[in-house]
Amino acid sequence: MNPRKLKENIWAVGTIDWGRRLFDDLIPLPEGTSYNAFLLKGSEKTALIDGVDPAVEHVLIDNLRSLGVETLDYIVSNHAEQDHSGAIPAVLEAWPESMVVTNPRCAGMLTDHLHIPEDRFILKGDEETLSLGGWTLQFFLAPFVHWPETQFTWLEEEKILFTGDFLGSHQATSDLFVRDVASTWLGAKRYYAEIMMPYRKKFPKYLDRIDTLAPEIIATTHGPIYDEPAFILDAYRDWSSDEVKNDVVVAYVSMHDTTATMANHLINALIDRGMNVKVHNLTGVDIGELAIDLVDAATIVWASPIVGVGPHPNVAYVAFLANILKPKAKFAAIIGSYGWGGKLVEQLLGLQKNLKVEVLEPVMVKGFPRQEDFAALDGLADTIAEKHRGEGLL
Ligand code: FEO
């Protein structure tokens, strides 16, 4: 990707990864991603804000050279993860006068991961500043979006906030700025669900701080840039709040159609009682889509047959994943089927101890469900409806 001009003397110099389909060998990227980096030419100093993935560091370096960067004074690192920092050693080598500007914790992590020498750092604490001549950068610590060293960089004179991963979206698009709001909203929700959700309790404070800055542009390290940032700030307020929606996520696997029959009965019963149901067959599931639905849901239902003595491994996997993502659901239930016995409920509950949920009475069926089993599923639907009513959702 060639450099693209944001404003006078400010360029996007990162790269678009059109073909990447998996991040961290875990997270599906149906729309690819980008690694955004920005070049700021002040009247006295030139600064690069963040880098790119090491696999495409040559693109970043070519972009800086094509913009005539002979002296690079500063490389601001807002986040030490390698998809942004991995190119920093190559940039330091190409511009040996350059210094990495970041907070002490990020500097330590850059040294750990990339072996950047300590004498290549300029350390800045919360709210400290750096002059580029005509422009002043100010740094705000914002730990755990989504690593402990993360920070924002504020360019007051141009009202641009560089937030690192925060508010970003895994999207490869030729739009420099957000032009398809619906698409970016969904990409950002996927990104939030998979990356940011475990740390959501910290975000209202960061959003308050951003509100006081009133940025006109928010430039993140993934996805298109926000030149009308209100919608993503509002979305993050909603997603990171404790407010749940009248949604039930039903995630199921079935081997001989028994658990699927139970799940379908429950799904219909939930719909009949006025709830929105988000259904995921965990055979070949896109975990990003499941994670998106976990952002808002008031209730999660795991539906699994017993394999051996415990849950089907696909259900165990997503329950464990949910335990990491820590969605704000308030209720959880387990339904399932078995041939002769096992400890499905105990094992699944053991996998999701981080979830602050009230666990509802499970419905476990021996063999194919009978009339009384369908009645028990109706009873579970009644209970979920009652819980949602108690939350003011129905
Ligand atoms: Fe995009 Fe946390 O790195």
Side-chain angles (χ1 to χ4, degrees), residues 198-228:
Y199 312 101
R200 69 179 177 87
K201 292 281 189 185
K202 297 185 175 298
F203 296 167
K205 188 174 68 177
Y206 301 153
L207 294 167
D208 288 346
R209 191 168 220 177
I210 291 173
D211 281 351
T212 65
L213 297 174
E216 292 175 1
I217 291 177
I218 293 180
T220 70
T221 45
H222 297 287
I225 297 161
Y226 301 97
D227 54 354
E228 293 181 18

Side-chain angles (χ1 to χ4, degrees), residues 23 79 81-84 145-147 165 170 191 195 221-222:
F23 201 86
H79 178 26
E81 192 167 9
Q82 291 89 335
D83 53 323
H84 313 294
V145 294
H146 57 121
W147 279 17
D165 283 345
H170 276 314
Y191 189 80
I195 304 282
T221 45
H222 297 287

